[in-house]
Amino acid sequence: MKRIVIILAHPQFQLSHVNKAMIEAASTLDHVTIHDLYEASPDFHIRVRKEQKRLLEHDIVVLQYPFQWYSTPSLLKEWLDLVLQRGWAYADGDRALNGKSLLCAVSTGGHEDSYGKKGYNRHTIETFMSPMAQTAHLCHMNYLPPLFFYDAHHATPKKIKDHAEQYRKLLIKLGKNKT
């Protein structure tokens, strides 16, 4: 099985029914490691070498976070800035993440139809995800199609449970995939 690390970056995880359900589902899988950034770095002090070592120990990196202001939560952005160093993750040097895969598992408060030219966000969610796709490209990683959960603030328990199960099944499938 391929080893998967979930980098959970939710500043108010205790209030998120969606992300809690997803993490509970993922925690049942032996090939998955869950790393809560806000728990590990409450002071926003990221232990870069330790984080890089964690990435090296896994084949697939999942960034799980709520979509905030068309981007990631601030600690995840800080993590990306510090951990994916030039000469380690990209450019001249090791390219330590070469061949690994990146998956973004994103929850958003907006309805699915709010993303698009006619929606109030004016762009598709994929457009907003282009920095993540480019990050994967720069680091020579495989960018996997993101998993989205829309309208998180109004989701029914059944919809949340179904999504968590879909996430668990995706993690199993990714763990078994040859590529």
Side-chain angles (χ1 to χ4, degrees), residues 74-138:
S74 60
L75 184 56
L76 181 54
K77 176 62 169 96
E78 179 79 357
W79 184 90
L80 290 165
D81 289 345
L82 296 177
V83 175
L84 304 185
Q85 293 175 343
R86 179 182 179 88
W88 184 80
Y90 69 97
D92 300 329
D94 291 339
R95 291 189 179 170
L97 304 176
N98 187 38
K100 294 182 184 285
S101 295
L102 177 66
L103 169 71
C104 294
V106 181
S107 58
T108 179
H111 295 279
E112 188 171 2
D113 60 4
S114 71
Y115 293 95
K117 289 182 182 182
K118 294 183 180 182
Y120 63 82
N121 291 307
R122 301 179 2 181
H123 302 281
T124 66
I125 198 162
E126 290 81 5
T127 299
F128 291 118
M129 295 299 294
S130 63
M132 288 301 188
Q134 181 58 28
T135 297
H137 175 75
L138 186 66

Side-chain angles (χ1 to χ4, degrees), residues 3-167:
R3 298 216 37 203
I4 299 172
V5 61
I6 297 172
I7 307 296
L8 172 65
H10 198 305
Q12 295 182 311
F13 179 70
Q14 68 281 1
L15 301 177
S16 175
H17 299 292
V18 173
N19 283 275
K20 274 201 262 184
M22 291 170 69
I23 290 298
E24 286 172 8
S27 70
T28 65
L29 303 174
D30 292 335
H31 67 290
V32 174
T33 302
I34 298 166
H35 178 58
D36 184 337
L37 278 185
Y38 281 88
E39 184 178 287
S41 303
D43 56 357
F44 274 58
H45 177 73
I46 296 168
R47 287 122 193 111
V48 173
R49 298 291 174 243
K50 192 173 184 178
E51 296 294 331
Q52 289 174 337
K53 183 178 184 287
R54 182 177 290 106
L55 294 179
L56 291 174
E57 294 170 346
H58 293 84
D59 307 298
I60 301 168
V61 178
V62 177
L63 302 178
Q64 181 180 327
Y65 60 94
F67 202 52
Q68 296 182 327
W69 288 105
Y70 311 103
S71 187
T72 67
S74 60
L75 184 56
L76 181 54
K77 176 62 169 96
E78 179 79 357
W79 184 90
L80 290 165
D81 289 345
L82 296 177
V83 175
L84 304 185
Q85 293 175 343
R86 179 182 179 88
W88 184 80
Y90 69 97
D92 300 329
D94 291 339
R95 291 189 179 170
L97 304 176
N98 187 38
K100 294 182 184 285
S101 295
L102 177 66
L103 169 71
C104 294
V106 181
S107 58
T108 179
H111 295 279
E112 188 171 2
D113 60 4
S114 71
Y115 293 95
K117 289 182 182 182
K118 294 183 180 182
Y120 63 82
N121 291 307
R122 301 179 2 181
H123 302 281
T124 66
I125 198 162
E126 290 81 5
T127 299
F128 291 118
M129 295 299 294
S130 63
M132 288 301 188
Q134 181 58 28
T135 297
H137 175 75
L138 186 66
C139 295
H140 293 260
M141 298 176 80
N142 304 312
Y143 183 66
L144 302 173
L147 178 65
F148 297 111
F149 187 92
Y150 296 97
D151 200 21
H153 301 298
H154 301 103
T156 64
K158 180 177 180 355
K159 185 176 178 185
I160 293 169
K161 182 180 176 187
D162 291 348
H163 182 75
E165 180 60 18
Q166 177 188 4
Y167 188 46

